[in-house]
Amino acid sequence: MLLAATLAATLAVAGGSRSVRAPAPRCAAAAASETLSRHELRERRRRTRLLAAELSALDVQGSVAVEYAECLTAKGIHSAADICGVDQGVLEACSIHGLDRQRLLAFSRLAALEQTAPAPTSASASSPADGDAGSVGDAGSDPRCEGEGGGDTLELLVPDSLDGSRVDAALAALLPPLSRSYFGGLAADGHVLVGGGRVKKAARVRAGDSLKVWLRAERELSLVPEPLPLEVLLEDEHVVVLNKQAGLVVHPAPGHWSGTLVHGLLHRMLLQRTATPGSAPASPSSDLLPDVSGSGLRPGVVHRLDRFTTGAIVAAKTARAQRQLMAAFAARRVWKVYLAVCVGEPHSRAVIDAPIGRHTTDRLRMAVRRGDGADAREALSVVHRIATDGRLSLVAVLLRTGRTHQIRVHLADAGHPVLGDPLYGDANWNRLEARTARRPLLHARELRLAHPHSGELLHAVAPAPDDLAAYGARLAGVSPDRFDAWAREATDAVLAEARDSFEYC
């Protein structure tokens, strides 16, 4: 509870297709407010107050925090964590300079790392495949970071304010609420690198140094079941398939040590265990769900979805199921279909075969890397346009591989970014549709895979969330309550041949 309270205080704080540019919006806050209704003005003031509270928690002076918040909110930025995807010109326009800028950028980078940091894996399939749309990554997240002990790895840059600090103190400052002693223990076990080399906890760091650290479950990272609302699509004694809601992080990571899907799933398993007559008491982190990676941070996790991606995600309830499901994802024997609203009018069918790796200058982003970079990995997406009005389109994407942010990166590279995507999207379209597209409109609609125990085909379809259904229904010319049925028919029509030849074993 103390950890949750600390976090709450901290965090209150390919070619030839048509691409359509949104008309440039009016940028002045006063001009924008003239077009807002009374309800919208109240909502903006509420968002401004919340953002100002976040900025104050990051040691921005009170009155200055309010000024920053008013300007940022007027430009569509509603959280300090959103600053990582903002053009530097926005910070200039809001007169955010010096130490305040460093604090905000450092915080936003840390908040974004939970979506982009790859999970360490070994040569065997002993760690979960990363998320399909890039959030915490997709099956086979790249680049892979090979470290001992399992867990999740982060890459950070030392800011000017921590120049000359001990490495354990620097990490504690960058990743609250974890302590110096926690990072000291990691350094002693060789899980902290500076500039690619292992260091002791007392080593000094310099501004601009690259830090790499492998997190592992300790008392400070203990997993406690939490009662969270989970929508179950399918479940038996071996697996559970959930319809993940937007905003839910899959497993603990910096900025999200509680309130994740894993915490909610542990609670569900605890209720099932205690409801079984004669069952033994369970240890929350070790008995309720399997953790074949050994990190203690990802029990039951097989693959992941981005924080703001919705839809079908499968988790394992036994060690055997976790190993076999992870192997199935790694071997590309899982049928994964996504729906996305994108900008412009892509081809009716496009096969995007473009390798993806870490961006050469922005380590929080992934990018198409054609012929450069050893970290670039094969990435294949098959995109079908199923509805369009010429300005926006609804596409069904068959994911053949599962790289970090794959769909978002591929569509952006093709000139048709996902609507609402703050990292890879079109800034003008995002502002124009900010009232209704408040997240990347990407949804994991369908999973098909062999059951890890029986071998029978397991098929799960996740109903579209309201925001994507509203856009999809408008583009398809149907009512929102008919959208899921229409989407089933549309995706079946374009994917039937590929589905019939797909190999699950």
Side-chain angles (χ1 to χ4, degrees):
M1 295 301 294
L2 179 59
L3 178 57
T6 305
L7 285 167
T10 303
L11 298 177
V13 232
S17 54
R18 265 178 74 192
S19 181
V20 180
R21 290 187 59 84
R26 300 165 71 188
C27 294
S33 64
E34 294 173 1
T35 65
L36 299 179
S37 67
R38 184 174 302 176
H39 171 75
E40 291 167 334
L41 283 172
R42 283 199 301 267
E43 178 64 15
R44 173 176 288 185
R45 293 189 189 105
R46 184 186 70 83
R47 292 180 180 272
T48 299
R49 289 194 299 271
L50 293 174
L51 181 54
E54 283 190 77
L55 300 182
S56 296
L58 296 173
D59 293 332
V60 177
Q61 185 179 354
S63 59
V64 177
V66 173
E67 293 177 7
Y68 290 167
E70 289 175 346
C71 182
L72 292 170
T73 303
K75 295 180 181 299
I77 300 165
H78 303 138
S79 166
D82 295 339
I83 293 173
C84 66
V86 170
D87 186 274
Q88 296 300 301
V90 173
L91 301 183
E92 292 288 346
C94 293
S95 299
I96 303 177
H97 302 290
L99 184 59
D100 286 343
R101 177 180 292 202
Q102 291 180 35
R103 287 186 180 127
L104 298 189
L105 289 176
F107 174 82
S108 63
R109 283 196 294 266
L110 290 173
L113 277 171
E114 61 86 14
Q115 296 188 32
T116 60
T121 63
S122 63
S124 63
S126 62
S127 65
D130 293 336
D132 288 317
S135 74
V136 191
D138 306 347
S141 173
D142 300 305
R144 295 177 183 269
C145 297
E146 297 178 3
E148 299 113 47
D152 285 270
T153 185
L154 299 178
E155 293 184 38
L156 308 169
L157 290 179
V158 177
D160 293 341
S161 58
L162 294 176
D163 183 60
S165 299
R166 286 170 47 129
V167 67
D168 56 352
L171 286 168
L174 289 171
L175 296 171
L178 300 177
S179 66
R180 284 179 60 174
S181 62
Y182 172 77
F183 290 111
L186 293 184
D189 292 338
H191 294 163
V192 175
L193 279 64
V194 177
R198 289 179 170 83
V199 295
K200 296 185 181 297
K201 63 181 181 181
R204 299 288 174 174
V205 295
R206 297 300 175 190
D209 279 352
S210 173
L211 302 180
K212 184 178 290 186
V213 56
W214 283 275
L215 302 179
R216 66 185 177 197
E218 297 280 349
R219 181 176 61 181
E220 294 172 90
L221 294 180
S222 60
L223 295 179
V224 178
E226 298 178 31
L228 301 175
L230 298 177
E231 181 182 346
V232 176
L233 300 175
L234 294 172
E235 185 176 22
D236 61 21
E237 64 269 33
H238 305 284
V239 299
V240 57
V241 184
L242 304 170
N243 186 10
K244 189 183 85 67
Q245 63 264 43
L248 182 63
V249 176
V250 172
H251 66 75
H256 299 280
W257 298 122
S258 63
T260 71
L261 183 145
V262 163
H263 290 89
L265 194 55
L266 284 170
H267 185 266
R268 180 177 182 83
M269 298 303 103
L270 180 62
L271 292 180
Q272 292 180 357
R273 180 74 61 86
T274 55
T276 303
S279 61
S283 168
S285 61
S286 62
D287 283 352
L288 293 174
L289 289 170
D291 184 20
V292 299
S293 71
S295 72
L297 295 177
R298 294 169 289 162
V301 174
V302 173
H303 66 128
R304 293 177 280 185
L305 298 177
D306 296 347
R307 178 183 177 188
F308 292 102
T309 297
T310 57
I313 182 169
V314 60
K317 298 169 68 174
T318 68
R320 174 185 172 184
Q322 190 175 28
R323 290 190 186 94
Q324 293 196 7
L325 289 173
M326 286 162 50
F329 274 92
R332 304 177 188 174
R333 299 197 304 267
V334 180
W335 175 268
K336 300 169 289 187
V337 177
Y338 288 72
L339 294 179
V341 177
C342 67
V343 173
E345 186 177 349
H347 291 300
S348 59
R349 181 180 185 273
V351 178
I352 304 178
D353 186 356
I356 290 176
R358 191 70 62 183
H359 194 282
T360 54
T361 58
D362 186 347
R363 300 300 292 175
L364 295 180
R365 295 163 58 95
M366 306 302 289
V368 168
R369 303 279 297 277
R370 296 181 175 90
D372 68 326
D375 67 331
R377 300 290 297 276
E378 175 192 8
L380 179 61
S381 306
V382 183
V383 180
H384 294 265
R385 187 190 73 232
I386 56 177
T388 186
D389 63 3
R391 300 166 69 249
L392 298 173
S393 296
L394 179 68
V395 295
V397 183
L398 173 60
L399 215 58
R400 291 294 197 179
T401 55
R403 309 306 180 199
T404 301
H405 297 184
Q406 178 172 323
I407 294 174
R408 297 161 63 190
V409 170
H410 272 173
L411 287 177
D413 185 70
H416 303 288
V418 175
L419 184 64
D421 190 337
L423 199 58
Y424 305 103
D426 183 292
N428 283 341
W429 271 106
N430 289 349
R431 293 189 187 102
L432 191 67
E433 301 289 327
R435 298 178 189 176
T436 48
R438 300 181 179 180
R439 65 173 184 95
L441 292 181
L442 181 62
H443 176 67
R445 181 183 182 274
E446 183 180 9
L447 280 177
R448 292 174 184 258
L449 66 158
H451 191 283
H453 182 74
S454 67
E456 297 179 355
L457 183 64
L458 188 155
H459 180 210
V461 176
D466 291 344
D467 53 0
L468 189 141
Y471 274 93
R474 189 181 73 198
L475 293 170
V478 300
S479 61
D481 62 330
R482 279 277 306 150
F483 175 72
D484 278 312
W486 176 90
R488 182 182 64 251
E489 296 172 0
T491 55
D492 284 350
V494 297
L495 294 172
E497 183 177 350
R499 184 188 63 230
D500 292 343
S501 62
F502 192 83
E503 296 182 359
Y504 300 95
C505 299

